[in-house]
């Protein structure tokens, strides 16, 4: 407390006693007043209280001290009193110095603010105009920079990074989605009001000549824009609303998901989404080169594929309907008219699984192929994964992003995937009839290579998976397991005999009536066929070494 507050409290003391009490064990300098029922803790507080009294009263007060462990008060010794007075004097000097320092800093801050305001006021007088004598600027995307060196260009984009160097130079790293560009602004270009108040994520238009960076210097693309004119398209907020105050690398994951629309502007998230785009194209190119046709099946359905417990249901004009769990059944109907078919569309699972591998809405790459064997199916899955990886790896820009996201990654083209029967995995892991997810992933990570795990028991798989001829207890089914992620593909041959499929409906307790159109595929010219479904986000998690699939979408479901 202040000396004035202490002096006020000491007025409660008995003036007849003229004592100030100090209890080193039970007293308090903050709440004590010096009376015996509310003693100070230190002699320094007592000295401060006396110093705050009128001069004519100071000499009449004595300090009584109770040492820790003692039950009696005794008058303070001369040496202790002298030490307390010295400490009090030092405190006074220190407080005075701090007050002077605070006043000085306040004065300096006011002067700095005034100078900044003066500069801002002066900056408003500076008006930039484009030099009409210069060549007309060619508008380009940043990715086209190398082809336009030594040319005057115009580039639009977002301020990704900003650095002021001295009073006459400013560096902007511009982002336009196609790449990054270092831009150099000098002299009057740095003195305008827009320059002095520029913020990250503002959108700007920059004009200038693209020059190769000097030897020994580095910049994205190996060149930089020497700006001769620029203008702000839209300025992002600063201060408390600046993007770095809303979101940064230390932000809690819950905040990052809530601010996902800002997170994806970051270098890492942006690279992940760009790799995703190239991967989606590579899947389509793979299927196209293999003679598949793409199909766009419905996402609102009235039949289940993977079991009723994970169906999202809704009212469809008075009837029950669901968000699709898989497009497989519809793809099968296209086999007689289109041959091999595929789709990349969304699937939905009503599983509130808060794990790093599950999403309620995810991108599902599915394919169905007629007239194949189970071995053909396994070969097709393996070839697809290898081909897609090779395609994205062959693109220098995409390869560079993958190498940055997943250092040490190498395409898996040289050796075949390990093929393992489910019963052998059970023996390896010493489990009963089913393998929990965690041990399965541990096995995959330990082996360290892709595993085509085959021949799952019928009771733990879907109704449409056929039993094998050699052992009807197991099915012609497969999961592709990848190190670090686990299952990324599930597939099987499909029951193609009418009576066998009808029996499967009965076994699973399903009414076959809503599936009449699916049964018709076994009635009007059936054939051996099979297919699979790949979770695109899981594939990307493996390719880019991401811990959770949630970071592989622009925005998770219900964002």
């Amino acid at each position: 407390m202040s000396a004035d507050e202490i002096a006020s409290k000491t007025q409660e003391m008995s003036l007849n006693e003229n004592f100030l009490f100090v209890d080193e064990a039970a007293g308090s300098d903050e709440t004590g007043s010096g009376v015996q029922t509310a003693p100070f803790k230190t002699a320094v507080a007592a000295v401060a209280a006396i110093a705050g009294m009128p001069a004519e009263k100071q000499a009449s007060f004595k300090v009584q001290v109770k040492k820790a462990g003692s039950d009696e008060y005794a008058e303070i010794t001369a040496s202790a009193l002298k030490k307390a007075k010295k400490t009090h004097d030092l405190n006074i000097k220190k407080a005075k110095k701090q007050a002077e320092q605070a006043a000085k800093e306040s004065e300096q801050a006011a002067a700095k603010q005034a100078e900044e305001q003066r500069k801002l006021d002066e900056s408003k007088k500076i008006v930039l105009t484009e030099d009409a004598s210069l060549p007309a600027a060619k508008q380009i995307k940043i990715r086209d920079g190398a082809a336009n060196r030594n040319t005057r260009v115009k580039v639009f984009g977002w301020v990704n990074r900003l650095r002021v160097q001295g009073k006459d130079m400013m560096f902007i790293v511009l982002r336009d989605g196609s790449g990054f560009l270092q831009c150099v602004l000098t002299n009057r270009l740095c003195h305008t009001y827009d320059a002095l108040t520029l913020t990250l994520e503002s959108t700007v238009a920059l004009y200038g000549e693209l020059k190769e960076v000097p030897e020994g210097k580095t910049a994205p693309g190996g060149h930089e824009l020497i700006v001769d004119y620029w203008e702000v398209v839209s300025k992002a907020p600063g201060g408390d609303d600046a993007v770095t105050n809303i979101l940064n690398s230390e932000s809690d994951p819950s905040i990052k998901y809530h601010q996902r629309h800002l997170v994806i502007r970051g270098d890492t998230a942006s690279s992940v989404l760009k790799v995703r785009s190239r991967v989606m194209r590579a899947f389509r190119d793979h299927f196209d080169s293999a003679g598949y046709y793409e199909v766009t099946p419905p996402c609102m359905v009235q039949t289940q594929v993977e079991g009723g417990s994970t169906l999202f249901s809704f009212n469809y004009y008075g009837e029950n309907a669901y968000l699709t769990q898989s497009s497989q059944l519809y793809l099968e109907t296209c086999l007689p008219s289109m041959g091999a078919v595929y789709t990349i569309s969304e699937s939905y699972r009503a599983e509130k699984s808060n794990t790093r591998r599950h999403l309620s809405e995810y991108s599902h790459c599915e394919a169905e192929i007629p007239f194949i064997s189970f071995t053909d199916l396994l070969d097709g899955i393996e070839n697809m994964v290898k081909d897609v990886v090779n395609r994205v790896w062959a693109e220098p820009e995409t390869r560079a992003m993958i190498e940055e996201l997943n250092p040490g990654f190498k395409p898996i083209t040289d050796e075949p995937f390990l093929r393992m029967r489910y019963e052998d995995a059970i023996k390896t892991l010493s489990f009963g009839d089913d393998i929990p997810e965690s041990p399965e992933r541990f096995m995959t990570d330990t082996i360290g290579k892709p595993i085509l795990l085959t021949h799952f028991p019928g009771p733990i798989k879907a109704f449409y998976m056929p039993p094998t001829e050699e052992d009807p207890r197991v099915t012609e089914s497969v999961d592709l397991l990848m190190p670090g992620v686990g299952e990324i593909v599930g597939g099987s041959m499909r029951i193609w005999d009418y009576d066998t499929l009808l029996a499967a409906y009965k076994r699973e307790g399903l009414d076959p009536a809503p599936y009449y159109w699916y049964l018709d595929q076994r009635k009007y010219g059936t054939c051996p066929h099979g297919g699979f479904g790949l979770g695109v986000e899981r594939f990307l998690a493996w390719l880019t070494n991401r811990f959770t699939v949630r970071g592989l979408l622009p925005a998770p479901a219900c964002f």
Side-chain angles (χ1 to χ4, degrees), residues 3-226:
D4 289 340
E5 291 173 320
I6 295 172
S8 176
K9 286 194 174 186
T10 58
Q11 292 177 6
E12 303 171 14
M13 298 184 306
S14 169
L15 297 178
N16 293 329
E17 293 180 350
N18 287 348
F19 287 133
L20 289 178
F21 293 92
V22 175
D23 187 335
E24 294 181 351
S28 172
D29 290 346
E30 288 74 32
T31 61
S33 60
V35 296
Q36 194 166 356
T37 55
F40 294 122
K41 185 175 182 64
T42 67
V44 176
V47 169
I50 293 172
M53 297 177 185
E56 64 272 13
K57 292 184 178 182
Q58 292 181 11
S60 63
F61 275 85
K62 307 295 182 183
V63 178
Q64 295 285 310
V65 179
K66 183 196 290 186
K67 297 289 186 181
S70 174
D71 295 329
E72 300 291 336
Y73 279 98
E75 188 172 350
I76 190 170
T77 64
S79 61
L81 182 60
K82 182 179 180 180
K83 182 178 179 181
K85 288 181 177 180
K86 184 177 181 180
T87 301
H88 171 66
D89 291 341
L90 288 174
N91 288 344
I92 294 295
K93 292 179 180 179
K94 183 178 179 181
K96 182 180 179 181
K97 186 175 182 180
Q98 288 177 338
E100 291 173 348
Q101 181 64 27
K104 183 179 179 181
E105 290 176 355
S106 178
E107 184 180 341
Q108 290 175 340
K112 183 179 179 181
Q113 185 176 3
E115 176 61 16
E116 289 177 350
Q117 187 59 50
R118 186 193 66 78
K119 288 182 178 179
L120 285 176
D121 292 340
E122 289 294 319
S123 70
K124 293 176 182 178
K125 301 176 185 178
I126 301 174
V127 179
L128 298 179
T129 55
E130 187 176 4
D131 189 344
S133 67
L134 294 173
K138 175 185 178 182
Q139 185 172 328
I140 67 166
K141 291 288 187 181
I142 290 176
R143 63 168 166 252
D144 300 321
N148 288 279
R149 287 181 181 175
N150 302 315
T151 301
R152 188 167 184 264
V153 299
K154 175 183 181 181
V155 187
F156 287 98
W158 288 261
V159 178
N160 194 65
R161 285 192 289 276
L162 178 64
R163 178 168 60 91
V164 176
Q165 185 170 307
K167 65 177 183 178
D168 291 323
M169 183 172 287
M170 184 166 72
F171 292 88
I172 293 175
V173 175
L174 197 68
R175 180 187 79 243
D176 73 347
S178 74
F180 298 89
L181 177 63
Q182 178 170 290
C183 308
V184 185
L185 289 73
T186 57
N187 301 322
R188 293 181 78 251
L189 299 176
C190 306
H191 302 160
T192 65
Y193 181 79
D194 282 338
L196 297 181
T197 59
L198 191 62
T199 51
L200 296 179
E201 295 305 323
S202 294
T203 46
V204 295
L206 302 173
Y207 300 67
E209 189 172 359
L210 272 173
K211 290 288 189 181
E212 189 173 354
V213 293
E215 188 175 349
K217 302 290 184 180
T218 59
H223 47 248
E224 58 188 5
L225 184 68
I226 308 303

Side-chain angles (χ1 to χ4, degrees), residues 494-502 519 522 526-527:
R494 314 309 191 191
I495 294 175
W496 60 286
D497 176 72
Y498 185 94
D499 292 332
T500 306
L501 182 58
L502 203 59
L519 280 165
R522 280 75 182 164
T526 188
C527 74

